[in-house]
Amino acid sequence: MKIALQKKGRLHEESINLLKACGINFPLDLSKDKLKISTYNLDIFFLRDDDIPSYIQEGVADIGIVGKNVVFEQEKSFLIKKHLGFGYCRLSFAVPKESLYKSSKDFSGKCIATSYPNILFKFLKEQNICSYIHKISGSVEIAPNIGVADAICDLVSSGSTLDSNDLKEIETIFSSEAVLICHPKSSRLAKKLIFRLQAFKRARDNKYLLLLFNAPNKKLEKIISFLHKSCKRLHRIPKAALWTYIQVIVPAFIIWNILDELKRNSVKDLVVLEKMRVF
Ligand code: PRT
Ligand code: ZN
């Protein structure tokens, strides 16, 4: 499998952390200058985020992680397989703080500076607003202050860059986060990775406790009925005797291979306990 990640920048570290949590091993001495690393069945390419969608589309890499904003700007949204829940930001209009513009409706005949001309063009067309688009590749926030544009349309997360450039945000046109993109022919690989990502996300978002106990047989029915009610959402306790509850201790480093195999064999209600010591 070949994976394309951002070389450096806002998505670099979290992309690596996410893949690590999904059982993908990175070398310990991950140098910032390395553009490609290879493990035993995996190549990881470190690229500029803008190049990642094309590399995926051309099949140079199977799977990539990139901002949804970049994918939409390049009109390659068909590559998106999953939203990843980090790298949140929004593409918003901003104007000088003292300006009287209230919304995009006021931009008719005005000039808007942006690094996202395609997303902006689509929005203006849908809203029937006729404005001039001035494409800038970086430092968009400076445009109104140097008389290049009346407004900007740029990515915002905390809002502090706008504030320090005397701009105010007035309307959001696109919400973004990191997404997993995939070449159509690599969908089997992507499926496997997505299963791992979902399992990781579930484990992170939900905390469960595993109870092991002896119950007196004469109270068994009552206890099971109670647990059924309390754990309804989890379906932890199989109703019919068609299922066997298995406890097994497995080496941590092969956990993902084991989970893949168990999933292939239709197991359910799986709990993985970490930080366990075996004596
Ligand atoms: O070198 P390369 O081309 O790979 O990186 P890049 O400079 O193009 O991208 P980078 O690392 O800045 O951002 C990568 C991705 O992170 C973006 O495509 C977004 O999907 C996501 N992201 C999340 C952001 C931000 N938050 C963000 N705040 N990308 C950019 N910004 C910029 C924004 O353009 C503005 O200049 O940060 C500034 C605003 O930040 P706040 O917090 O002050 O509002
Ligand atoms: Zn970029």
Side-chain angles (χ1 to χ4, degrees), residues 6 9-10 48-50 67 69 89 141 155 157-161:
Q6 194 188 21
R10 286 164 206 266
R48 286 206 56 186
D49 62 352
D50 317 74
N69 47 303
C89 58
E141 292 89 352
L155 294 178
S157 49
S158 68
S160 67
T161 309

